[in-house]
Each structure stands twice: as structure tokens, then as C-alpha cells.
Amino acid sequence: MSEMTKQGYSYDFDMFSEQGREKELKRLYTQATIAKEQEINFIDSLQLPENASVLEIGCGPGFVTGILGDLVPKGTAHGLDASKELLEAADKLVKPHHSNLSFFEGSAYELPFQDNTYDFIYNRLIYQHLNNPLKALQEANRVCKKGGMVTVLDVDAGMQLIEPACPAFEKLNQLACEAQMKYGGDRYIGRKLPSLMQQAGFSKVDFKVLPLSSLDFKLADYINITTRFKAMIVGTSEANQLINEIDNFCNAQKTEPFVFVSVFAVTGIV
Ligand SMILES: C[S@@+](CC[C@H](N)C(=O)[O-])C[C@H]1O[C@@H](n2cnc3c(N)ncnc32)[C@H](O)[C@@H]1O
């Protein structure tokens, strides 16, 4: 786990065992598609031209880059990530199904692109892992075209609830916040994004909330994508015990518990 602090972010695919990597790829796929309709509606609201050049920073295995590629059929969608292995997965699993995708290895802090290159840059669930979000935003600002847009979509740990109350769910969230912070991440990044964008020099910063609830997705999928990564980053037997308690709690209810979560989408113009 100490490797993660060296790299300056709290997500590292290498920290998974061989078997764990396969599960993590599945988790990332569910995470990429669980609220696909709401996310596409949000991106549509940005009115990207069909020939836009798009970059996804922190693209992981590229599932979302593929969605972006479909939204700009006459343009291009590039994905960039620090993980060589996740990029290999993107090249294998996603690229063959689209004609306008390319994937690049690199760091959000030092993008391997020239100034003024992209019409739109999307950052999805990467900023919670960055220890220097301002530097990454300044770098995104540099490679975005003048008049182009940069969006950061991420969580805020204060914007999640479960009813009936489940102490194990709350405890795991708290432990995950502490663990992620230790490795340089920040699960409260959502609320900080508007002023970080302003500090990075963006104008017309816009703040949208994407409200999601267990009426929109399968509760088991949500519990899986939110708890497995948390337990892994916490890395203690207590965390695994909490996952069991959450599963038992959900199974013991007469009706499925209700979960609500808000994701923040903050957009600035260069
Ligand atoms: C949780 S995954 C999100 C993947 C994808 N955006 C999605 O929403 O499905 C976070 C990704 O950010 C990448 N990442 C974290 N820090 C990074 C950095 N400093 N530069 C580039 N990529 C980074 C990780 O390798 C990982 O693939």
C-alpha cells in the first residue's frame, strides 16, 4: 500500500491480486454503466459538437471513453490513464468496438499533449484519488482549447444515505475516508471542486448534481461498487467484517433498503 503514496494517488490497479484484478475490472464496468442514462443526459446538456475532440483523464479500462466516443461520432475520444494494465484492458475490451478511440499512458499532472488540443475534457471518479487536484486542473486547462470545457465528476462522502440506517455502512464509509486521505485522496472532493476550478483559471464554473437512488439501479450492484473498493483500501479484517454486516443487513430487511447518493459534476470554460 505504501507504493500508492509514492505515486501521489489513492487508486492503483497494481494493488489488486491477480484474481482481484478480474473482479475489479467487473466492478469498474458496473461503476461505468450503473447510471449511464443520467450521465449521458448530463453530457448531452453540454451540447458537444459531433466532431468534438474529447479526452477522458483517468479513463481506467476505457468503458466511459467508449460512451464518449459514441457521443462524438465524427470526432475523436482519447483516454489517458496512469495504469498500463488498465490501458491494455481498454485496448482489448473497448477500442475494437469503436472507430474513434485511442488510449495513452500518462499522468494527470503532466499530460503528454500540446497546449490547446481538446474541445472537452472529462474527469470521472479520478479527482477523489489525487493529492494535488489543483495541479491536475491547471494541466487540464492547458491542454483544453480556448473556449473548450473541462468537467470533473466525483463523489462527496457527505452526500450518501441509506434508510433504514445501517451502522456498518456508515462505519465503512468513515474508515474509507480516513484510509483514502492517508494515501493522498479525498472522498470529500465534490464540495471543493467549484473553488478549485476557479483557482485553476476556469471561467463560468457551473455546478450540477446528479441525484441517484436505488430506484434507478440494483441495490446489490451499488453495494458492490461502493463497498468492495472501500474495504480493499482500508485493508483490515474489520472492513471485511463490515461488508458481511452490510450484506446481512440488506438481506434481513422486509423491503429493500433505500439508498440515495449525489454525484457532483463541475464544469468550467477555458
Ligand atoms: C476509479 S478509476 C475511474 C475510471 C473511469 N474514469 C471510470 O469512471 O470508470 C480511477 C482511475 O484514475 C486513474 N488515476 C489515478 N490517479 C491518476 C493520475 N495521477 N494520472 C492518471 N490516472 C490516474 C487510475 O489508474 C484509475 O484508472
Side-chain angles (χ1 to χ4, degrees), residues 9 11 28 31-32 56 58-60 64 81-83 86 106-109 124-126 129-130:
Y9 57 89
Y11 183 98
L28 287 173
Q31 184 171 270
E56 186 195 2
C59 65
V64 175
D81 203 277
S83 162
L86 283 174
S107 163
Y109 300 125
R124 184 185 192 271
L125 303 178
I126 167 175
H129 297 296
L130 299 180

Side-chain angles (χ1 to χ4, degrees), residues 80-147:
L80 173 130
D81 203 277
S83 162
K84 207 179 180 131
E85 275 196 275
L86 283 174
L87 291 169
E88 280 168 11
D91 275 330
K92 196 165 131 202
L93 301 174
V94 182
K95 195 174 171 187
H97 303 289
H98 304 262
S99 57
N100 58 352
L101 303 190
S102 305
F103 292 99
F104 301 86
E105 191 179 344
S107 163
Y109 300 125
E110 211 172 325
L111 297 170
F113 306 114
Q114 294 189 339
D115 297 2
N116 226 348
T117 300
Y118 292 100
D119 295 305
F120 177 56
I121 300 181
Y122 199 46
N123 303 271
R124 184 185 192 271
L125 303 178
I126 167 175
Y127 270 68
Q128 62 176 283
H129 297 296
L130 299 180
N131 68 356
N132 194 341
L134 179 59
K135 186 173 176 192
L137 278 174
Q138 286 163 336
E139 190 57 356
N141 187 304
R142 178 184 71 74
V143 305
C144 191
K145 287 182 189 166
K146 301 294 159 241

